[in-house]
Amino acid sequence: MILSPQLISDVAWSVMQAPQMVLTAASATASALPSATPSLPVVVPATATPASTATSTTTAAAVNFPTILFSLLIWGAVLFAVVVVLMPDRTREQRARIKALGIAGASTALFFALWAVETQAANAAIGAGGRPGGELVEQRRWLASFPISASYHLDADGLSLGLILLTAVVFFCVAIAVWRNDRRVKLLTIALLTLETAFLGVLCSYDWVLFLIFWTLPIAPVYLLIRGFGAGDRSRAAARYAITTLISAALLTVAALLIGFEDGTRSFDMGLAPLSLPATVGHLVFWLCTGAFLISMAVVPLHVPLLDLEEDSSGALGAVFAALLPTLGAYGLLHVSVGFFPTISGDYSLLFAVLAVVSVVWAGIAAVRADDLRRLVGYVGTVQMGAVLLAVAGHTTLAITGAIFLLVSRGLTVSVLMLLTSVIQERTRRVRISHIAGLAWQAPRLAGFWLLGVFSAVGTPILSGFVAYLLLFTGSFPAHRWLTVVVLGGVLLTPLALLRAAQRMFLGSARETFSKVRDLGPYELTYLCVLVALIVILGILPEHFADLFGNGASSILFPGTSG
């Protein structure tokens, strides 16, 4: 596509106007929202002067906007999707405007995500940020007259905020990466923006009804994306994903109903952890939730549907599926299974450690033997999810903090590798590693970014994976020494697999078939540098996020306390 000056101007204008459009829409719909739960009254002394009253009013007005920050974060992207629905897509210019709106919607979510994370990171340094119930919480009456009440309750702890930042960054980069696609542009843009809203909604929901709505919402857009843009046996991959997600949603629905009827509060609110359930019911609810989240995490032996989805996805969509879909399962496992049931999850610590060993060792061996590039990246992600299970088994604040760092690092690293995989397959027309050789001579920047992704995945110092693995293994070792060593050995299979693939694809004699392969240009470097920059920032400045993630880990293991 040729980018004319007029088109570039239209795109720039759309991106610059994105936050203002969302704020205007939010102001227009503010009156339609349910009434907020009443806050504590402010007692004004009788001797207060008009000046002090004015100051108080100004202060109160200054904190009104952040109380809808999570709503703007979640619904901002889908508002752009609604606009896209009304737009024509017959000509190239019309399709370009739709793509620009997709980037604007993702930019809006990224803007509010950065605002939320930086606000709470600053507060975490003084012990306040990163725990639920802070200054950004939203809670409004919703289904108060039902037998079990529900509310519009949005909140985030350190775990949620880290994954919110990851989700917003990945969708922003993918929105740029799909710019050159001219096939079914409207469907692609609407599905991606809706999917982003669903993911962010899961991460911010503190009510079971809201959580289940957002948990099942990805089924339709993912199914359409695979059927419309996938490759290979895409029908089977889409059907498998839909079935597994419905199974996990059914398990979570039963768990939510048991909590609502048996907890005694008659509420679906998720901010009441730890729960007070009878012993038998508590164990049943724990395993219903854990089973649902393990399915979504795609740990061995539940990994096949996600691997099929990653293998049969095309283009940049694999970055979303591989980086973010299993991350939601890991979030649920930490936030619900551990956060709601800290004692029960601690009792099954050994079982989680064994699952970690099985997942890491099996996926590591499979990665070494893999010849399909997308499956290789999928196996690497499965290895890292196994390490997250080890952090659950470790059951310490240090291990959980390492798991949060690892989830963010994993999402960024897998996104880089999947986007590079898309570039390699697009330019070589090959999907098998053994069919590619000598690319480093024609595409040195491509080879360099691949190696950087490899180093991040294996935990090289100054990159994001290093601090993640350091905290995770240090926190897990006291509880399961030998199993931690085995998991560490399995993780070391990752560099072997990735470096072996790099040697076969980038080194060796250059083949005539690949003599005209183009290197990464400004277009690819734009979205790759965003991901790499965050990988480096997490590696060089982990202390900027350490308090935020540490407070989140404390609120998971010690719910209802300050540390």
Side-chain angles (χ1 to χ4, degrees):
M1 170 189 242
I2 299 175
L3 300 178
S4 65
Q6 180 61 37
L7 180 57
I8 294 175
S9 176
D10 290 345
V11 172
W13 182 89
S14 298
V15 173
M16 292 173 62
Q17 293 296 318
Q20 182 177 353
M21 292 171 65
V22 173
L23 292 177
T24 302
S27 300
T29 57
S31 59
L33 288 174
S35 59
T37 41
S39 57
L40 292 176
V42 179
V43 179
V44 181
T47 58
T49 62
S52 64
T53 303
T55 303
S56 176
T57 304
T58 303
T59 304
V63 299
N64 279 343
F65 175 70
T67 58
I68 61 168
L69 181 59
F70 288 135
S71 291
L72 294 173
L73 170 70
I74 294 171
W75 301 110
V78 81
L79 288 177
F80 282 89
V82 172
V83 176
V84 170
V85 170
L86 305 176
M87 294 184 64
D89 62 344
R90 297 183 181 88
T91 67
R92 179 172 295 183
E93 287 72 18
Q94 290 171 343
R95 291 192 291 271
R97 291 189 180 94
I98 290 175
K99 296 174 191 177
L101 281 175
I103 296 176
S107 302
T108 300
L110 179 58
F111 170 76
F112 290 121
L114 288 171
W115 187 342
V117 170
E118 287 304 307
T119 298
Q120 292 303 292
N123 291 340
I126 58 175
R131 293 189 173 91
E135 62 181 7
L136 301 181
V137 63
E138 298 180 43
Q139 188 167 15
R140 296 174 175 85
R141 299 182 62 184
W142 183 23
L143 304 177
S145 60
F146 280 55
I148 304 176
S149 63
S151 62
Y152 182 80
H153 189 180
L154 303 178
D155 203 352
D157 58 8
L159 168 63
S160 305
L161 290 167
L163 301 184
I164 285 169
L165 177 61
L166 167 67
T167 301
V169 169
V170 170
F171 271 101
F172 173 74
C173 293
V174 169
I176 299 174
V178 299
W179 177 269
R180 289 179 176 170
N181 171 71
D182 259 344
R183 213 164 41 98
R184 299 171 180 169
V185 174
K186 181 181 286 191
L187 172 63
L188 178 63
T189 304
I190 293 172
L192 284 176
L193 291 174
T194 304
L195 195 58
E196 182 171 14
T197 289
F199 286 179
L200 293 172
V202 169
L203 297 174
C204 294
S205 294
Y206 264 66
D207 183 272
W208 275 107
V209 176
L210 273 180
F211 185 86
L212 289 170
I213 290 173
F214 288 120
W215 185 264
T216 54
L217 183 57
I219 295 177
V222 170
Y223 186 87
L224 292 174
L225 288 171
I226 287 294
R227 289 300 302 268
F229 303 92
D233 196 354
R234 53 189 178 183
S235 299
R236 185 188 66 172
R240 279 187 172 182
Y241 167 76
I243 291 171
T244 54
T245 305
L246 287 173
I247 291 173
S248 67
L251 295 175
L252 291 174
T253 301
V254 175
L257 290 173
L258 287 173
I259 292 173
F261 282 107
E262 297 291 338
D263 186 45
T265 60
R266 294 285 174 167
S267 172
F268 282 126
D269 193 88
M270 298 177 74
L272 303 176
L275 300 175
S276 300
L277 296 172
T280 303
V281 176
H283 280 78
L284 176 59
V285 172
F286 169 78
W287 281 113
L288 287 170
C289 295
T290 300
F293 296 132
L294 289 177
I295 291 173
S296 182
M297 284 179 70
V299 296
V300 178
L302 305 171
H303 61 290
V304 175
L306 181 64
L307 285 178
D308 288 344
L309 196 69
E310 295 166 355
E311 183 179 5
D312 295 330
S313 62
S314 61
L317 298 179
V320 174
F321 300 151
L324 299 181
L325 284 177
T327 300
L328 292 185
Y331 166 76
L333 185 69
L334 292 171
H335 179 66
V336 178
S337 295
V338 179
F340 284 23
F341 307 97
T343 302
I344 298 176
S345 59
D347 293 340
Y348 292 104
S349 172
L350 180 60
L351 179 57
F352 283 113
V354 172
L355 285 174
V357 169
V358 173
S359 292
V360 169
V361 173
W362 189 94
I365 295 173
V368 173
R369 300 177 58 186
D371 192 41
D372 184 281
L373 201 51
R374 288 185 179 273
R375 285 192 88 87
L376 169 61
V377 178
Y379 286 132
V380 170
T382 303
V383 168
Q384 294 177 316
M385 276 299 166
V388 173
L389 289 178
L390 180 66
V392 174
H395 217 261
T396 63
T397 302
L398 195 62
I400 300 298
T401 303
I404 299 173
F405 270 105
L406 182 59
L407 287 173
V408 178
S409 174
R410 175 196 176 278
L412 296 171
T413 302
V414 169
S415 296
V416 170
L417 294 175
M418 271 295 183
L419 289 169
L420 291 174
T421 296
S422 174
V423 173
I424 292 171
Q425 292 185 347
E426 175 191 349
R427 296 181 180 180
T428 65
R429 304 298 179 184
R430 301 290 189 277
V431 296
R432 298 291 178 183
I433 298 172
S434 56
H435 295 169
I436 307 171
L439 293 183
W441 313 113
Q442 286 78 32
R445 289 191 292 271
L446 178 59
F449 271 89
W450 180 270
L451 289 177
L452 194 148
V454 171
F455 294 146
S456 177
V458 302
T460 305
I462 80 165
L463 297 179
S464 57
F466 176 74
V467 65
Y469 282 124
L470 178 64
L471 295 175
L472 192 152
F473 286 123
T474 303
S476 302
F477 185 77
H480 304 284
R481 297 190 175 190
W482 290 110
L483 294 180
T484 300
V485 172
V486 175
V487 171
L488 177 59
V491 169
L492 293 178
L493 293 173
T494 300
L496 176 62
L498 291 172
L499 290 174
R500 177 172 171 268
Q503 190 274 331
R504 295 170 72 179
M505 292 189 301
F506 297 110
L507 302 180
S509 58
R511 300 181 182 179
E512 185 66 25
T513 309
F514 308 127
S515 61
K516 296 183 179 180
V517 169
R518 292 181 294 110
D519 201 359
L520 298 176
Y523 167 69
E524 294 86 8
L525 291 175
T526 300
Y527 55 80
L528 288 172
C529 285
V530 173
L531 295 167
V532 169
L534 193 50
I535 289 174
V536 174
I537 290 173
L538 280 169
I540 295 178
L541 301 172
E543 69 275 5
H544 183 72
F545 302 93
D547 290 331
L548 180 68
F549 294 168
N551 289 348
S554 294
S555 68
I556 291 171
L557 291 176
F558 309 103
T561 68
S562 59

